[in-house]
Amino acid sequence: SKNPRVRFDLVSSTISEIVRDKPLTRLCEVITILKRECGLDVSYHVVWLGVEKAKVNIYGDHSLSFD
């Protein structure tokens, strides 16, 4: 079963180095990394939000870059 208490903030902080090294990391890769290394079963939606937050923290907000 999915772990309902895992929030996207935890996912973001856990995978920020992975996203920094490989910006085009697929979400299914992140899900398998979280299962293998951390033992977490996280939903696709939570992983997607975590990757997006990690990208914003690393590269800045996409919409603000056009201003």
Side-chain angles (χ1 to χ4, degrees):
S1 66
K2 303 290 181 205
N3 199 344
R5 294 194 178 249
V6 175
R7 308 228 351 136
F8 66 91
D9 297 328
L10 176 67
V11 173
S12 173
S13 63
T14 304
I15 62 159
S16 62
E17 292 181 20
I18 297 169
V19 172
R20 183 178 299 120
D21 294 340
K22 186 178 172 189
L24 298 176
T25 304
R26 295 175 32 207
L27 296 177
C28 61
E29 293 174 7
V30 174
I31 291 171
T32 56
I33 290 170
L34 289 174
K35 277 185 187 179
R36 185 179 58 233
E37 295 180 5
C38 302
L40 297 174
D41 190 16
V42 185
S43 71
Y44 186 87
H45 181 71
V46 172
V47 171
W48 180 75
L49 289 172
V51 169
E52 291 298 315
K53 183 173 180 179
K55 287 180 181 178
V56 167
N57 288 340
I58 295 168
Y59 303 113
D61 191 16
H62 183 70
S63 63
L64 292 177
S65 65
F66 290 104
D67 290 341

Short mmCIF file of all heavy atoms in Angstrom, two decimals:
data_model
loop_
_atom_site.label_atom_id
_atom_site.label_comp_id
_atom_site.label_asym_id
_atom_site.label_seq_id
_atom_site.Cartn_x
_atom_site.Cartn_y
_atom_site.Cartn_z
N SER A 1 0.83 -1.19 0.00
CA SER A 1 0.00 0.00 0.00
C SER A 1 0.88 1.25 0.00
O SER A 1 2.02 1.23 0.45
CB SER A 1 -0.91 0.00 1.21
OG SER A 1 -0.15 0.12 2.39
N LYS A 2 0.33 2.31 -0.49
CA LYS A 2 1.05 3.58 -0.54
C LYS A 2 1.18 4.15 0.87
O LYS A 2 0.33 3.95 1.72
CB LYS A 2 0.33 4.59 -1.43
CG LYS A 2 0.10 4.11 -2.84
CD LYS A 2 1.38 4.03 -3.58
CE LYS A 2 1.13 3.57 -5.00
NZ LYS A 2 2.22 2.94 -5.60
N ASN A 3 2.26 4.86 1.11
CA ASN A 3 2.51 5.45 2.40
C ASN A 3 1.85 6.83 2.43
O ASN A 3 2.37 7.77 1.86
CB ASN A 3 4.01 5.56 2.63
CG ASN A 3 4.36 5.73 4.06
OD1 ASN A 3 3.51 6.07 4.86
ND2 ASN A 3 5.61 5.48 4.39
N PRO A 4 0.70 6.99 3.10
CA PRO A 4 -0.05 8.24 3.03
C PRO A 4 0.58 9.41 3.78
O PRO A 4 0.25 10.55 3.53
CB PRO A 4 -1.40 7.88 3.63
CG PRO A 4 -1.12 6.76 4.56
CD PRO A 4 0.02 6.00 3.93
N ARG A 5 1.51 9.14 4.67
CA ARG A 5 2.10 10.22 5.46
C ARG A 5 3.31 10.86 4.80
O ARG A 5 3.82 11.86 5.28
CB ARG A 5 2.47 9.71 6.84
CG ARG A 5 1.26 9.32 7.62
CD ARG A 5 1.61 9.14 9.05
NE ARG A 5 0.43 8.82 9.80
CZ ARG A 5 -0.14 9.65 10.66
NH1 ARG A 5 0.39 10.81 10.88
NH2 ARG A 5 -1.22 9.29 11.31
N VAL A 6 3.77 10.30 3.71
CA VAL A 6 4.92 10.87 3.01
C VAL A 6 4.43 12.04 2.19
O VAL A 6 3.54 11.92 1.37
CB VAL A 6 5.60 9.82 2.11
CG1 VAL A 6 6.70 10.46 1.30
CG2 VAL A 6 6.15 8.70 2.95
N ARG A 7 5.03 13.19 2.41
CA ARG A 7 4.64 14.40 1.71
C ARG A 7 5.67 14.73 0.65
O ARG A 7 6.78 14.22 0.67
CB ARG A 7 4.49 15.55 2.69
CG ARG A 7 3.59 15.19 3.85
CD ARG A 7 2.54 16.13 4.22
NE ARG A 7 2.57 17.41 3.59
CZ ARG A 7 1.48 17.98 3.11
NH1 ARG A 7 0.34 17.36 3.18
NH2 ARG A 7 1.53 19.17 2.57
N PHE A 8 5.30 15.60 -0.26
CA PHE A 8 6.20 15.94 -1.36
C PHE A 8 7.42 16.70 -0.88
O PHE A 8 8.45 16.71 -1.56
CB PHE A 8 5.46 16.70 -2.46
CG PHE A 8 4.94 18.05 -2.06
CD1 PHE A 8 5.72 19.17 -2.25
CD2 PHE A 8 3.69 18.19 -1.52
CE1 PHE A 8 5.26 20.42 -1.89
CE2 PHE A 8 3.21 19.44 -1.16
CZ PHE A 8 4.00 20.55 -1.36
N ASP A 9 7.36 17.34 0.29
CA ASP A 9 8.54 18.02 0.83
C ASP A 9 9.66 17.04 1.14
O ASP A 9 10.82 17.30 0.86
CB ASP A 9 8.18 18.78 2.11
CG ASP A 9 7.17 19.89 1.88
OD1 ASP A 9 7.19 20.47 0.77
OD2 ASP A 9 6.37 20.17 2.78
N LEU A 10 9.29 15.89 1.70
CA LEU A 10 10.27 14.85 1.99
C LEU A 10 10.86 14.29 0.70
O LEU A 10 12.07 14.10 0.60
CB LEU A 10 9.63 13.72 2.80
CG LEU A 10 10.53 12.52 3.08
CD1 LEU A 10 11.67 12.92 4.00
CD2 LEU A 10 9.72 11.39 3.66
N VAL A 11 10.01 14.07 -0.29
CA VAL A 11 10.48 13.58 -1.57
C VAL A 11 11.42 14.58 -2.21
O VAL A 11 12.48 14.24 -2.72
CB VAL A 11 9.29 13.26 -2.51
CG1 VAL A 11 9.77 12.90 -3.90
CG2 VAL A 11 8.44 12.15 -1.93
N SER A 12 11.07 15.86 -2.15
CA SER A 12 11.89 16.91 -2.74
C SER A 12 13.26 16.98 -2.10
O SER A 12 14.27 17.06 -2.80
CB SER A 12 11.18 18.26 -2.59
OG SER A 12 11.99 19.31 -3.00
N SER A 13 13.32 16.94 -0.80
CA SER A 13 14.62 17.02 -0.14
C SER A 13 15.45 15.76 -0.35
O SER A 13 16.68 15.83 -0.41
CB SER A 13 14.43 17.28 1.36
OG SER A 13 13.75 16.21 1.97
N THR A 14 14.79 14.62 -0.50
CA THR A 14 15.50 13.36 -0.69
C THR A 14 16.12 13.26 -2.07
O THR A 14 17.23 12.77 -2.22
CB THR A 14 14.54 12.17 -0.46
OG1 THR A 14 13.95 12.29 0.83
CG2 THR A 14 15.26 10.86 -0.57
N ILE A 15 15.43 13.76 -3.09
CA ILE A 15 15.90 13.56 -4.47
C ILE A 15 16.49 14.80 -5.10
O ILE A 15 16.76 14.80 -6.30
CB ILE A 15 14.75 13.04 -5.34
CG1 ILE A 15 13.63 14.05 -5.40
CG2 ILE A 15 14.25 11.71 -4.86
CD1 ILE A 15 12.74 13.89 -6.57
N SER A 16 16.71 15.85 -4.34
CA SER A 16 17.21 17.09 -4.94
C SER A 16 18.56 16.91 -5.61
O SER A 16 18.81 17.49 -6.68
CB SER A 16 17.27 18.20 -3.89
OG SER A 16 18.17 17.86 -2.87
N GLU A 17 19.44 16.10 -5.03
CA GLU A 17 20.75 15.87 -5.66
C GLU A 17 20.61 15.08 -6.96
O GLU A 17 21.34 15.32 -7.92
CB GLU A 17 21.67 15.13 -4.70
CG GLU A 17 22.07 15.96 -3.52
CD GLU A 17 22.99 15.21 -2.59
OE1 GLU A 17 23.60 14.22 -3.03
OE2 GLU A 17 23.10 15.62 -1.42
N ILE A 18 19.68 14.15 -6.99
CA ILE A 18 19.45 13.36 -8.20
C ILE A 18 18.94 14.26 -9.32
O ILE A 18 19.39 14.16 -10.46
CB ILE A 18 18.45 12.22 -7.91
CG1 ILE A 18 19.04 11.26 -6.89
CG2 ILE A 18 18.08 11.48 -9.19
CD1 ILE A 18 18.06 10.26 -6.34
N VAL A 19 18.01 15.15 -9.00
CA VAL A 19 17.45 16.06 -10.00
C VAL A 19 18.52 17.06 -10.46
O VAL A 19 18.57 17.42 -11.63
CB VAL A 19 16.21 16.79 -9.45
CG1 VAL A 19 15.72 17.87 -10.38
CG2 VAL A 19 15.09 15.78 -9.19
N ARG A 20 19.39 17.49 -9.57
CA ARG A 20 20.45 18.42 -9.93
C ARG A 20 21.43 17.75 -10.91
O ARG A 20 21.85 18.35 -11.89
CB ARG A 20 21.21 18.89 -8.70
CG ARG A 20 22.28 19.92 -9.02
CD ARG A 20 23.01 20.42 -7.78
NE ARG A 20 22.10 21.07 -6.86
CZ ARG A 20 21.89 20.67 -5.60
NH1 ARG A 20 22.52 19.62 -5.11
NH2 ARG A 20 21.06 21.31 -4.84
N ASP A 21 21.77 16.49 -10.66
CA ASP A 21 22.71 15.78 -11.52
C ASP A 21 22.08 15.38 -12.86
O ASP A 21 22.74 15.40 -13.89
CB ASP A 21 23.24 14.52 -10.83
CG ASP A 21 24.10 14.86 -9.63
OD1 ASP A 21 24.59 16.01 -9.54
OD2 ASP A 21 24.26 13.97 -8.76
N LYS A 22 20.81 15.01 -12.83
CA LYS A 22 20.13 14.55 -14.03
C LYS A 22 18.74 15.20 -14.08
O LYS A 22 17.76 14.65 -13.56
CB LYS A 22 20.00 13.02 -13.99
CG LYS A 22 19.43 12.42 -15.23
CD LYS A 22 19.39 10.91 -15.10
CE LYS A 22 18.64 10.31 -16.27
NZ LYS A 22 18.38 8.88 -16.07
N PRO A 23 18.62 16.38 -14.72
CA PRO A 23 17.36 17.12 -14.70
C PRO A 23 16.19 16.42 -15.39
O PRO A 23 15.05 16.68 -15.06
CB PRO A 23 17.69 18.42 -15.44
CG PRO A 23 19.15 18.48 -15.54
CD PRO A 23 19.68 17.12 -15.38
N LEU A 24 16.47 15.52 -16.31
CA LEU A 24 15.39 14.83 -17.01
C LEU A 24 15.09 13.46 -16.40
O LEU A 24 14.69 12.53 -17.10
CB LEU A 24 15.75 14.68 -18.49
CG LEU A 24 15.95 15.99 -19.25
CD1 LEU A 24 16.38 15.72 -20.67
CD2 LEU A 24 14.67 16.82 -19.23
N THR A 25 15.23 13.36 -15.10
CA THR A 25 14.94 12.11 -14.39
C THR A 25 13.45 11.80 -14.51
O THR A 25 12.61 12.66 -14.26
CB THR A 25 15.32 12.24 -12.91
OG1 THR A 25 16.68 12.61 -12.81
CG2 THR A 25 15.09 10.95 -12.17
N ARG A 26 13.17 10.57 -14.90
CA ARG A 26 11.78 10.15 -15.04
C ARG A 26 11.19 9.83 -13.67
O ARG A 26 11.90 9.40 -12.75
CB ARG A 26 11.69 8.95 -15.95
CG ARG A 26 12.12 9.30 -17.36
CD ARG A 26 12.17 8.14 -18.30
NE ARG A 26 11.20 7.11 -18.03
CZ ARG A 26 11.36 5.84 -18.35
NH1 ARG A 26 12.46 5.46 -18.95
NH2 ARG A 26 10.42 4.95 -18.09
N LEU A 27 9.88 10.04 -13.54
CA LEU A 27 9.23 9.82 -12.25
C LEU A 27 9.27 8.36 -11.83
O LEU A 27 9.40 8.06 -10.65
CB LEU A 27 7.79 10.32 -12.31
CG LEU A 27 7.64 11.82 -12.52
CD1 LEU A 27 6.18 12.18 -12.63
CD2 LEU A 27 8.28 12.59 -11.41
N CYS A 28 9.18 7.45 -12.79
CA CYS A 28 9.24 6.04 -12.42
C CYS A 28 10.61 5.67 -11.86
O CYS A 28 10.72 4.81 -10.98
CB CYS A 28 8.87 5.15 -13.59
SG CYS A 28 9.93 5.29 -15.02
N GLU A 29 11.67 6.35 -12.32
CA GLU A 29 13.00 6.13 -11.75
C GLU A 29 13.05 6.60 -10.30
O GLU A 29 13.65 5.95 -9.46
CB GLU A 29 14.05 6.87 -12.57
CG GLU A 29 14.26 6.35 -13.96
CD GLU A 29 15.21 7.22 -14.77
OE1 GLU A 29 15.81 8.15 -14.20
OE2 GLU A 29 15.34 6.95 -15.97
N VAL A 30 12.43 7.74 -10.04
CA VAL A 30 12.41 8.29 -8.68
C VAL A 30 11.63 7.35 -7.76
O VAL A 30 12.05 7.10 -6.62
CB VAL A 30 11.80 9.70 -8.67
CG1 VAL A 30 11.62 10.22 -7.26
CG2 VAL A 30 12.65 10.65 -9.48
N ILE A 31 10.53 6.81 -8.24
CA ILE A 31 9.72 5.90 -7.44
C ILE A 31 10.54 4.66 -7.07
O ILE A 31 10.53 4.22 -5.91
CB ILE A 31 8.42 5.52 -8.17
CG1 ILE A 31 7.50 6.74 -8.25
CG2 ILE A 31 7.71 4.37 -7.48
CD1 ILE A 31 6.29 6.55 -9.13
N THR A 32 11.28 4.11 -8.03
CA THR A 32 12.08 2.92 -7.72
C THR A 32 13.24 3.25 -6.79
O THR A 32 13.60 2.43 -5.93
CB THR A 32 12.62 2.26 -9.01
OG1 THR A 32 13.37 3.22 -9.74
CG2 THR A 32 11.50 1.72 -9.86
N ILE A 33 13.82 4.44 -6.92
CA ILE A 33 14.90 4.85 -6.01
C ILE A 33 14.37 4.98 -4.59
O ILE A 33 15.00 4.53 -3.63
CB ILE A 33 15.54 6.17 -6.49
CG1 ILE A 33 16.35 5.93 -7.75
CG2 ILE A 33 16.41 6.79 -5.40
CD1 ILE A 33 16.81 7.21 -8.44
N LEU A 34 13.20 5.60 -4.43
CA LEU A 34 12.62 5.76 -3.10
C LEU A 34 12.28 4.41 -2.49
O LEU A 34 12.44 4.20 -1.28
CB LEU A 34 11.39 6.65 -3.16
CG LEU A 34 11.66 8.13 -3.43
CD1 LEU A 34 10.35 8.88 -3.61
CD2 LEU A 34 12.45 8.74 -2.30
N LYS A 35 11.80 3.47 -3.30
CA LYS A 35 11.49 2.14 -2.78
C LYS A 35 12.76 1.40 -2.38
O LYS A 35 12.83 0.79 -1.33
CB LYS A 35 10.75 1.31 -3.84
CG LYS A 35 9.29 1.56 -3.91
CD LYS A 35 8.65 0.61 -4.90
CE LYS A 35 7.20 0.96 -5.11
NZ LYS A 35 6.57 0.05 -6.09
N ARG A 36 13.77 1.44 -3.24
CA ARG A 36 14.99 0.67 -3.02
C ARG A 36 15.83 1.24 -1.89
O ARG A 36 16.28 0.52 -1.01
CB ARG A 36 15.80 0.60 -4.31
CG ARG A 36 17.02 -0.28 -4.22
CD ARG A 36 17.79 -0.34 -5.52
NE ARG A 36 18.20 0.99 -5.94
CZ ARG A 36 17.94 1.52 -7.15
NH1 ARG A 36 17.30 0.83 -8.03
NH2 ARG A 36 18.35 2.74 -7.44
N GLU A 37 16.07 2.55 -1.91
CA GLU A 37 17.01 3.14 -0.95
C GLU A 37 16.38 3.55 0.37
O GLU A 37 17.02 3.50 1.41
CB GLU A 37 17.71 4.34 -1.59
CG GLU A 37 18.60 3.95 -2.76
CD GLU A 37 19.30 5.14 -3.38
OE1 GLU A 37 19.17 6.26 -2.85
OE2 GLU A 37 19.96 4.93 -4.41
N CYS A 38 15.12 4.00 0.32
CA CYS A 38 14.49 4.51 1.54
C CYS A 38 13.39 3.60 2.07
O CYS A 38 12.91 3.82 3.19
CB CYS A 38 13.89 5.89 1.26
SG CYS A 38 15.09 7.10 0.70
N GLY A 39 12.95 2.65 1.26
CA GLY A 39 11.88 1.77 1.70
C GLY A 39 10.52 2.43 1.71
O GLY A 39 9.63 2.00 2.44
N LEU A 40 10.35 3.47 0.90
CA LEU A 40 9.09 4.21 0.86
C LEU A 40 8.29 3.82 -0.37
O LEU A 40 8.82 3.75 -1.47
CB LEU A 40 9.35 5.71 0.83
CG LEU A 40 10.04 6.30 2.05
CD1 LEU A 40 10.36 7.77 1.80
CD2 LEU A 40 9.16 6.17 3.26
N ASP A 41 7.00 3.60 -0.18
CA ASP A 41 6.09 3.34 -1.28
C ASP A 41 5.24 4.61 -1.44
O ASP A 41 4.31 4.84 -0.67
CB ASP A 41 5.22 2.12 -0.99
CG ASP A 41 4.44 1.67 -2.19
OD1 ASP A 41 4.78 2.09 -3.32
OD2 ASP A 41 3.49 0.89 -2.01
N VAL A 42 5.58 5.41 -2.43
CA VAL A 42 4.99 6.74 -2.57
C VAL A 42 4.16 6.78 -3.85
O VAL A 42 4.53 6.18 -4.86
CB VAL A 42 6.10 7.81 -2.63
CG1 VAL A 42 5.52 9.19 -2.65
CG2 VAL A 42 7.02 7.66 -1.44
N SER A 43 3.05 7.51 -3.82
CA SER A 43 2.19 7.61 -4.99
C SER A 43 2.85 8.47 -6.08
O SER A 43 3.73 9.29 -5.81
CB SER A 43 0.84 8.20 -4.62
OG SER A 43 0.97 9.57 -4.30
N TYR A 44 2.40 8.26 -7.29
CA TYR A 44 2.94 8.97 -8.45
C TYR A 44 2.74 10.49 -8.29
O TYR A 44 3.62 11.27 -8.61
CB TYR A 44 2.22 8.47 -9.71
CG TYR A 44 2.77 9.00 -11.00
CD1 TYR A 44 3.84 8.37 -11.63
CD2 TYR A 44 2.23 10.13 -11.60
CE1 TYR A 44 4.35 8.85 -12.83
CE2 TYR A 44 2.73 10.61 -12.79
CZ TYR A 44 3.78 9.96 -13.41
OH TYR A 44 4.28 10.45 -14.59
N HIS A 45 1.58 10.88 -7.79
CA HIS A 45 1.26 12.30 -7.63
C HIS A 45 2.21 12.98 -6.64
O HIS A 45 2.69 14.10 -6.89
CB HIS A 45 -0.19 12.45 -7.17
CG HIS A 45 -0.63 13.87 -7.01
ND1 HIS A 45 -0.83 14.71 -8.08
CD2 HIS A 45 -0.88 14.60 -5.90
CE1 HIS A 45 -1.20 15.89 -7.63
NE2 HIS A 45 -1.23 15.86 -6.32
N VAL A 46 2.49 12.33 -5.53
CA VAL A 46 3.38 12.90 -4.52
C VAL A 46 4.80 13.01 -5.09
O VAL A 46 5.49 14.02 -4.87
CB VAL A 46 3.36 12.05 -3.23
CG1 VAL A 46 4.43 12.50 -2.26
CG2 VAL A 46 1.99 12.13 -2.58
N VAL A 47 5.23 12.02 -5.86
CA VAL A 47 6.55 12.07 -6.47
C VAL A 47 6.62 13.19 -7.49
O VAL A 47 7.60 13.93 -7.56
CB VAL A 47 6.92 10.71 -7.11
CG1 VAL A 47 8.18 10.82 -7.94
CG2 VAL A 47 7.09 9.67 -6.04
N TRP A 48 5.57 13.36 -8.27
CA TRP A 48 5.54 14.44 -9.26
C TRP A 48 5.66 15.81 -8.59
O TRP A 48 6.44 16.66 -9.02
CB TRP A 48 4.26 14.37 -10.09
CG TRP A 48 4.17 15.43 -11.12
CD1 TRP A 48 4.84 15.50 -12.31
CD2 TRP A 48 3.38 16.62 -11.05
NE1 TRP A 48 4.50 16.65 -12.98
CE2 TRP A 48 3.60 17.36 -12.22
CE3 TRP A 48 2.49 17.12 -10.11
CZ2 TRP A 48 2.97 18.57 -12.48
CZ3 TRP A 48 1.88 18.33 -10.36
CH2 TRP A 48 2.12 19.04 -11.54
N LEU A 49 4.89 16.02 -7.52
CA LEU A 49 4.97 17.29 -6.79
C LEU A 49 6.36 17.49 -6.18
O LEU A 49 6.89 18.61 -6.20
CB LEU A 49 3.91 17.33 -5.68
CG LEU A 49 2.46 17.47 -6.14
CD1 LEU A 49 1.52 17.32 -4.95
CD2 LEU A 49 2.23 18.79 -6.83
N GLY A 50 6.95 16.44 -5.67
CA GLY A 50 8.30 16.53 -5.08
C GLY A 50 9.36 16.88 -6.11
O GLY A 50 10.25 17.70 -5.85
N VAL A 51 9.27 16.29 -7.30
CA VAL A 51 10.24 16.59 -8.36
C VAL A 51 10.07 18.02 -8.83
O VAL A 51 11.05 18.74 -9.05
CB VAL A 51 10.08 15.59 -9.53
CG1 VAL A 51 10.87 16.03 -10.74
CG2 VAL A 51 10.53 14.21 -9.10
N GLU A 52 8.84 18.48 -8.97
CA GLU A 52 8.59 19.86 -9.38
C GLU A 52 9.15 20.84 -8.35
O GLU A 52 9.75 21.86 -8.70
CB GLU A 52 7.10 20.11 -9.60
CG GLU A 52 6.55 19.39 -10.82
CD GLU A 52 7.20 19.84 -12.10
OE1 GLU A 52 7.37 21.06 -12.30
OE2 GLU A 52 7.55 18.97 -12.91
N LYS A 53 8.94 20.56 -7.06
CA LYS A 53 9.47 21.44 -6.02
C LYS A 53 10.99 21.43 -6.02
O LYS A 53 11.62 22.48 -5.84
CB LYS A 53 8.95 21.02 -4.65
CG LYS A 53 9.41 21.97 -3.57
CD LYS A 53 8.80 21.70 -2.25
CE LYS A 53 9.34 22.72 -1.26
NZ LYS A 53 8.77 22.55 0.05
N ALA A 54 11.61 20.28 -6.23
CA ALA A 54 13.06 20.20 -6.29
C ALA A 54 13.60 21.02 -7.46
O ALA A 54 14.60 21.73 -7.33
CB ALA A 54 13.51 18.75 -6.42
N LYS A 55 12.92 20.97 -8.61
CA LYS A 55 13.35 21.75 -9.78
C LYS A 55 13.24 23.25 -9.50
O LYS A 55 14.11 24.02 -9.90
CB LYS A 55 12.52 21.39 -11.00
CG LYS A 55 12.87 20.04 -11.57
CD LYS A 55 12.02 19.72 -12.79
CE LYS A 55 12.34 18.37 -13.35
NZ LYS A 55 11.49 18.04 -14.51
N VAL A 56 12.17 23.67 -8.82
CA VAL A 56 12.01 25.09 -8.48
C VAL A 56 13.09 25.52 -7.50
O VAL A 56 13.66 26.61 -7.64
CB VAL A 56 10.60 25.35 -7.89
CG1 VAL A 56 10.52 26.72 -7.24
CG2 VAL A 56 9.55 25.22 -8.97
N ASN A 57 13.43 24.69 -6.53
CA ASN A 57 14.47 25.03 -5.57
C ASN A 57 15.84 25.13 -6.22
O ASN A 57 16.65 25.96 -5.84
CB ASN A 57 14.52 24.01 -4.44
CG ASN A 57 13.33 24.13 -3.52
OD1 ASN A 57 12.66 25.15 -3.47
ND2 ASN A 57 13.05 23.07 -2.80
N ILE A 58 16.09 24.28 -7.22
CA ILE A 58 17.40 24.26 -7.86
C ILE A 58 17.52 25.33 -8.94
O ILE A 58 18.47 26.10 -8.98
CB ILE A 58 17.67 22.86 -8.46
CG1 ILE A 58 17.78 21.84 -7.35
CG2 ILE A 58 18.94 22.87 -9.30
CD1 ILE A 58 17.76 20.40 -7.83
N TYR A 59 16.54 25.39 -9.84
CA TYR A 59 16.64 26.23 -11.02
C TYR A 59 15.83 27.52 -10.95
O TYR A 59 15.95 28.36 -11.83
CB TYR A 59 16.19 25.45 -12.26
CG TYR A 59 16.98 24.19 -12.46
CD1 TYR A 59 16.38 22.95 -12.33
CD2 TYR A 59 18.34 24.23 -12.75
CE1 TYR A 59 17.09 21.78 -12.50
CE2 TYR A 59 19.07 23.07 -12.91
CZ TYR A 59 18.43 21.85 -12.80
OH TYR A 59 19.15 20.70 -12.96
N GLY A 60 14.99 27.68 -9.95
CA GLY A 60 14.14 28.86 -9.85
C GLY A 60 12.79 28.61 -10.49
O GLY A 60 12.58 27.63 -11.19
N ASP A 61 11.89 29.53 -10.26
CA ASP A 61 10.52 29.41 -10.78
C ASP A 61 10.52 29.62 -12.29
O ASP A 61 11.06 30.59 -12.80
CB ASP A 61 9.60 30.41 -10.10
CG ASP A 61 8.14 30.15 -10.40
OD1 ASP A 61 7.81 29.05 -10.86
OD2 ASP A 61 7.33 31.07 -10.14
N HIS A 62 9.86 28.72 -13.02
CA HIS A 62 9.83 28.77 -14.47
C HIS A 62 9.11 30.02 -14.98
O HIS A 62 9.56 30.67 -15.91
CB HIS A 62 9.15 27.51 -15.02
CG HIS A 62 9.13 27.44 -16.50
ND1 HIS A 62 10.26 27.22 -17.24
CD2 HIS A 62 8.12 27.55 -17.39
CE1 HIS A 62 9.96 27.21 -18.53
NE2 HIS A 62 8.66 27.41 -18.64
N SER A 63 7.98 30.37 -14.36
CA SER A 63 7.22 31.53 -14.84
C SER A 63 7.94 32.84 -14.56
O SER A 63 7.81 33.80 -15.32
CB SER A 63 5.84 31.53 -14.21
OG SER A 63 5.93 31.66 -12.81
N LEU A 64 8.71 32.91 -13.48
CA LEU A 64 9.42 34.15 -13.16
C LEU A 64 10.64 34.37 -14.06
O LEU A 64 11.12 35.48 -14.19
CB LEU A 64 9.87 34.15 -11.70
CG LEU A 64 8.76 34.24 -10.67
CD1 LEU A 64 9.34 34.16 -9.27
CD2 LEU A 64 7.94 35.51 -10.85
N SER A 65 11.11 33.32 -14.68
CA SER A 65 12.29 33.46 -15.55
C SER A 65 11.96 34.23 -16.81
O SER A 65 12.86 34.74 -17.47
CB SER A 65 12.85 32.09 -15.92
OG SER A 65 11.95 31.36 -16.70
N PHE A 66 10.70 34.36 -17.17
CA PHE A 66 10.32 35.11 -18.36
C PHE A 66 10.10 36.59 -18.07
O PHE A 66 9.95 37.37 -18.99
CB PHE A 66 9.07 34.50 -18.99
CG PHE A 66 9.32 33.16 -19.62
CD1 PHE A 66 8.90 32.00 -19.00
CD2 PHE A 66 9.99 33.08 -20.82
CE1 PHE A 66 9.15 30.77 -19.59
CE2 PHE A 66 10.24 31.86 -21.42
CZ PHE A 66 9.82 30.71 -20.78
N ASP A 67 10.04 36.97 -16.82
CA ASP A 67 9.78 38.38 -16.48
C ASP A 67 11.03 39.21 -16.51
O ASP A 67 12.08 38.94 -16.30
CB ASP A 67 9.13 38.47 -15.09
CG ASP A 67 7.72 37.95 -15.10
OD1 ASP A 67 7.13 37.87 -16.19
OD2 ASP A 67 7.22 37.62 -14.00
#
